[in-house]
Amino acid sequence: MSSATVLIVDDEKLIRFSVRERLQEDGQFVLEAATGEEALKQLERGADLVLLDLHLPDVNDLSLLEKIKQAAPETVVIMLTGDPTPEIVVEAMKCGAFHYVTKPVDLDELAMLVGHALETTRLKREVRALQSRAEEDGDGLDAIIGESPAMQKTKRLLAKVAQSPATTVLLTGETGTGKDLAARAIHYASERAAKPYMNITCTVLPDTLFDSELFGHEKGAFTDAKTQRKGLLEQANGGSVFLDEIAELPLNLQAKLLRFLEDKTLRRVGGSVDIEVDVRVIAATNRNLEEMVAEGSFREDLFYRLQVMPIELPPVRERGDDVVLLAQYFAERFGKRFGHNIQGLDESALERICTYRWPGNVREIRNAVERAVLLCDSERLAAADFDALKLGAGTSGTNASFGSGDGATTTQPQTVEQFQLPEDGIDLERLERHFVIQALSRTEGNQTRAAALLGINRDQIRYRIQKFDLDPNAL
């Protein structure tokens, strides 16, 4: 649980001191007030939660609670009272109190209640934010743009999966094909739509933190674990969790994920109790998991468990005129966002986008159109508005491509004017080897930087190093 600001409102200095010391142990930032007037002034500094004594020198009723909720509706209020009569408790709840605590205060119980209140409120905010974005961006099946046979088939399958009881889905496809959008569509088209949707990329965090992020941890489980924390799976109870780039999940965490998928239970780091959680896990990857299983870098049992509901997102080059629909959709969307009166694309722009292969797929179209809208000086996008992205690199017959080991291609930004094809042809494999050696030489064997120079990823350059039997350190 991240640090939050807690305002303690109580006229007893000893209570404020004791509560402050205990909450600070959990990493909370604490403000104090002894009167209602001081409380309202402190509230202007911002507070996530207020611990409010019911009886203050200048306020002896629920009017201060009402003022707090009017001034800061999102702020959580927990009442402190030495006389918890049913009538006053019910009235406090009607006025917006989250809960109440009876004096004398049990500091550990209060700290747990504060943590629970903050976590519950955070989740509610996230759900509202996601639902708001769903309404704005159309995070459902209708938001998936495409009328091609390939996309119509994909959307029908997504709709079936969304309405099915299946709790595990595997989305595959090239980078940028919209796997994240498909995952959100599944969630918001299902009965889980009102529950949390959590998104985590498996490459973002180191192994030690990822374990805690996914499964949670108990207080004292490791050095920085100053309080108990629910993991994303537990926070998303009743909803969905999207695990992007699942192929990068370390083997030890693959085993824990498999156990969770099988038993629907998890154990927090440092914990001893199994916790039942009901979530739909939607995993995604642009890598070939079968090859990884054969190599021993991905668990076979987890692969088959994820394969229960596999859905492959087609690349843009297999979607025909969908590229026009996508470009028009993004042009209208970014036009509204940036306050530009964009009426669409002219013939030169349509010709250009239709002859480009779009190796980055939908994500690349989105980025290209967003930039074009920003550059455009008229009501219609023209070919010139796309010049900054060197779209000529991707047109059929004008580009040199390096094929990856899994069949994907990465287009290099070169044009016909830059490379002339000799009359007697060219040895593409020899040219490919030459560029790989040159990139590794320039980067002194650093495979990540060499891959970046070539416009490919580290796995693809490793494949070529093995293919050409190269020693990066000897170049």
Side-chain angles (χ1 to χ4, degrees):
M1 179 176 61
S2 59
S3 176
T5 298
V6 178
L7 171 60
I8 306 171
V9 185
D10 198 298
D11 60 332
E12 295 185 48
K13 187 174 182 179
L14 181 59
I15 289 180
R16 295 201 309 273
F17 172 80
S18 301
V19 173
R20 182 188 70 221
E21 291 292 302
R22 178 61 185 85
L23 294 182
Q24 286 178 339
E25 288 180 13
D26 292 344
Q28 314 297 4
F29 179 72
V30 179
L31 301 174
E32 296 182 38
T35 66
E37 183 179 358
E38 288 179 15
L40 293 175
K41 288 181 179 179
Q42 290 282 43
L43 192 64
E44 294 177 0
R45 298 175 60 183
D48 299 293
L49 184 144
V50 176
L51 294 174
L52 179 60
D53 183 16
L54 189 58
H55 302 291
L56 297 168
D58 56 343
V59 182
N60 197 30
D61 55 26
L62 295 174
S63 60
L64 181 57
L65 170 61
E66 294 174 345
K67 290 178 181 178
I68 290 174
K69 296 305 292 184
Q70 288 173 2
E74 293 291 318
T75 297
V76 185
V77 180
I78 296 176
M79 304 299 298
L80 303 177
T81 176
D83 182 27
T85 61
E87 295 78 15
I88 197 69
V89 168
V90 170
E91 195 62 29
M93 295 303 177
K94 287 182 179 179
C95 291
F98 178 83
H99 213 294
Y100 72 94
V101 173
T102 304
K103 292 182 177 182
V105 176
D106 183 309
L107 294 177
D108 288 332
E109 287 186 7
L110 177 62
M112 288 183 62
L113 179 59
V114 167
H116 174 65
L118 290 170
E119 190 79 358
T120 300
T121 303
R122 185 183 66 80
L123 288 175
K124 287 180 178 178
R125 286 174 180 168
E126 286 187 0
V127 170
R128 284 199 299 271
L130 288 169
Q131 289 175 335
S132 176
R133 191 178 69 178
E135 293 174 2
E136 179 185 347
D137 294 345
D139 276 340
L141 292 169
D142 292 339
I144 300 178
I145 308 300
E147 299 298 333
S148 65
M151 279 311 298
Q152 288 298 308
K153 179 181 178 181
T154 299
K155 286 198 280 189
R156 285 195 296 269
L157 185 54
L158 289 171
K160 286 183 179 180
V161 169
Q163 296 302 316
S164 76
T167 55
T168 307
V169 182
L170 177 63
L171 302 175
T172 60
E174 296 177 10
T175 298
T177 48
K179 295 183 285 293
D180 55 342
L181 180 61
R184 291 199 302 270
I186 290 173
H187 174 74
Y188 287 108
S190 73
E191 295 180 351
R192 300 175 181 267
K195 298 294 183 177
Y197 173 81
M198 298 293 178
N199 184 336
I200 185 168
T201 303
C202 298
T203 56
V204 170
L205 298 171
D207 298 1
T208 50
L209 291 180
F210 190 88
D211 195 353
S212 171
E213 188 74 13
L214 196 60
F215 298 99
H217 63 252
E218 297 292 348
K219 182 179 179 180
F222 47 86
T223 304
D224 294 327
K226 296 180 180 179
T227 184
Q228 181 194 81
R229 186 187 188 283
K230 294 181 180 180
L232 288 177
L233 290 171
E234 194 174 349
Q235 291 177 36
N237 192 24
S240 307
V241 170
F242 177 48
L243 295 177
D244 199 8
E245 300 187 38
I246 188 70
E248 310 305 324
L249 194 66
L251 283 169
N252 64 311
L253 294 182
Q254 290 180 26
K256 290 191 70 172
L257 177 61
L258 176 65
R259 177 179 176 271
F260 171 74
L261 294 176
E262 294 287 356
D263 301 339
K264 305 303 179 191
T265 63
L266 58 83
R267 185 173 295 182
R268 301 184 190 124
V269 177
S272 58
V273 177
D274 288 336
I275 303 167
E276 291 188 10
V277 177
D278 171 32
V279 299
R280 167 176 271 162
V281 173
I282 306 172
T285 181
N286 61 356
R287 299 184 61 184
N288 189 319
L289 292 184
E290 290 186 86
E291 288 184 0
M292 294 185 66
V293 169
E295 295 167 356
S297 57
F298 199 85
R299 292 181 62 105
E300 184 176 23
D301 45 8
L302 177 58
F303 169 67
Y304 287 119
R305 187 66 184 80
L306 294 173
Q307 276 282 90
V308 174
M309 281 289 182
I311 302 176
E312 183 172 7
L313 280 296
V316 168
R317 63 179 175 275
E318 295 178 4
R319 294 175 53 178
D321 292 338
D322 280 356
V323 64
V324 176
L325 296 177
L326 287 163
Q328 291 173 336
Y329 168 77
F330 288 126
E332 179 181 355
R333 179 174 172 181
F334 288 120
K336 290 180 180 178
R337 180 175 296 179
F338 302 141
H340 291 188
N341 184 26
I342 300 296
Q343 299 298 313
L345 292 78
D346 68 14
E347 289 298 324
S348 67
L350 289 173
E351 181 180 359
R352 194 153 206 181
I353 67 171
C354 288
T355 55
Y356 182 60
R357 286 179 59 81
W358 299 104
N361 293 294
V362 179
R363 184 182 296 122
E364 187 179 9
I365 296 174
R366 174 194 171 113
N367 294 342
V369 174
E370 180 177 6
R371 185 164 183 171
V373 170
L374 286 170
L375 294 173
C376 184
D377 294 323
S378 64
E379 293 185 349
R380 300 182 75 83
L381 299 181
D385 297 317
F386 295 93
D387 279 350
L389 298 179
K390 298 180 181 178
L391 288 184
T395 52
S396 178
T398 68
N399 58 294
S401 299
F402 289 167
S404 69
D406 61 2
T409 60
T410 303
T411 304
Q412 302 303 303
Q414 309 294 345
T415 65
V416 169
E417 289 73 25
Q418 291 170 297
F419 283 129
Q420 293 295 330
L421 182 66
E423 294 295 331
D424 58 349
I426 192 170
D427 186 339
L428 284 177
E429 191 162 291
R430 182 180 176 186
L431 183 65
E432 181 180 1
R433 184 177 186 275
H434 168 77
F435 280 125
V436 171
I437 291 174
Q438 191 177 70
L440 289 168
S441 178
R442 286 187 183 182
T443 60
E444 299 179 342
N446 187 308
Q447 296 179 30
T448 300
R449 289 169 53 205
L453 282 177
L454 296 170
I456 59 180
N457 61 42
R458 192 168 61 176
D459 291 326
Q460 291 171 330
I461 200 168
R462 282 177 179 170
Y463 165 77
R464 287 168 179 77
I465 289 171
Q466 294 176 359
K467 174 182 176 182
F468 298 124
D469 193 24
L470 302 175
D471 181 359
N473 298 319
L475 297 174

